[in-house]
Amino acid sequence: GAVVSQHPSRVICKSGTSVKIECRSLDFQATTMFWYRQFPKQSLMLMATSNEGSKATYEQGVEKDKFLINHASLTLSTLTVTSAHPEDSSFYICSARGVGTQYFGPGTRLLVL
Amino acid sequence: GENVEQHPSTLSVQEGDSAVIKCTYSDSASNYFPWYKQELGKRPQLIIDIRSNVGEKKDQRIAVTLNKTAKHFSLHITETQPEDSAVYFCAASGYGGSQGNLIFGKGTKLSVKP
């Protein structure tokens, strides 16, 4: 199947700093990428839909100024958590839509101290 | 928007038994229904999917059924094995149009006891 990578896999940062997470589709072009957040023992919650070359579409309740999404190319989308706080600690997973379905990245575990 | 309900939230079966997980969706325009398996700390992996023009699909020990009229779909795992233990998520989307966002159910934690 298609391969999606995500970097970094794990990050620990101090409260108030910004963290950038990269999502890459390695062997296909993805016009649409999605960003999810998953808290422990909970389901995946869609944060935003990222379309190449245009502004991301955010789900209700997700602050676009806090979670900056850039989709500059057909193979790369980035999520920047600005001024991170402990409540932002979570598992962030991207997915890229290829032919037929979505393929998920391995996830980034963010811990904000 | 779409809303997906998934039951049960936990399921425990003996090795060799069958497991069934059920989901309902609200948006009649949804036409794509994948199932994902997620092991602890790992990414969700697509295990099977079905589109609205098909009522049933099978892949070895795994099968999915879809009832469009009732707006529900189910995952069936036969001859369960300990390695089937994981969290399973159903999802629905209107793939093929400009939307296509997957909306996930809350997940079912399946435990297969040897």
Side-chain angles (χ1 to χ4, degrees), chain A residues 3-5 32 34 36 38 41-44 46 49 59 91 93 97-107 109, chain B residues 32 34 36 38 40-46 49 51 89 95-107 109:
Chain A
V3 179
V4 177
S5 71
T32 303
F34 304 88
Y36 295 85
Q38 186 176 35
K41 298 184 179 181
Q42 294 189 23
S43 187
L44 297 98
L46 179 65
T49 302
E59 294 300 301
F91 192 48
I93 307 178
R97 188 157 69 200
V99 177
T101 191
Q102 289 184 30
Y103 299 92
F104 286 87
R109 192 163 299 282
Chain B
Y32 176 63
Y36 289 87
Q38 187 179 28
L40 189 63
K42 297 186 178 180
R43 79 183 83 189
Q45 297 276 9
L46 177 70
D49 57 10
R51 299 189 187 278
F89 293 99
Y95 178 79
S98 60
Q99 297 302 315
N101 302 339
L102 283 175
I103 303 299
F104 286 85
K106 294 189 183 299
K109 183 177 181 180

Side-chain angles (χ1 to χ4, degrees), chain B residues 11-29:
Chain B
L11 179 60
S12 181
V13 299
Q14 287 295 132
E15 183 177 1
D17 288 349
S18 295
V20 180
I21 303 170
K22 298 181 179 182
C23 287
T24 60
Y25 60 100
S26 61
D27 188 350
S28 57

Side-chain angles (χ1 to χ4, degrees), chain A residues 17-81:
Chain A
T17 60
S18 295
V19 175
K20 179 185 281 189
I21 303 170
E22 291 187 351
C23 177
R24 293 181 185 273
S25 56
L26 298 184
D27 54 359
F28 67 101
Q29 293 183 331
T31 54
T32 303
M33 290 186 174
F34 304 88
W35 288 95
Y36 295 85
R37 181 165 54 183
Q38 186 176 35
F39 291 109
K41 298 184 179 181
Q42 294 189 23
S43 187
L44 297 98
M45 298 302 297
L46 179 65
M47 299 176 65
T49 302
S50 168
N51 292 297
E52 186 264 338
S54 63
K55 292 182 178 180
T57 301
Y58 290 81
E59 294 300 301
Q60 192 172 11
V62 179
E63 299 176 57
K64 62 180 181 180
D65 294 330
K66 181 170 183 62
F67 299 100
L68 301 178
I69 292 173
N70 183 278
H71 193 159
S73 75
L74 288 171
T75 59
L76 173 64
S77 177
T78 61
L79 167 68
T80 301
V81 183

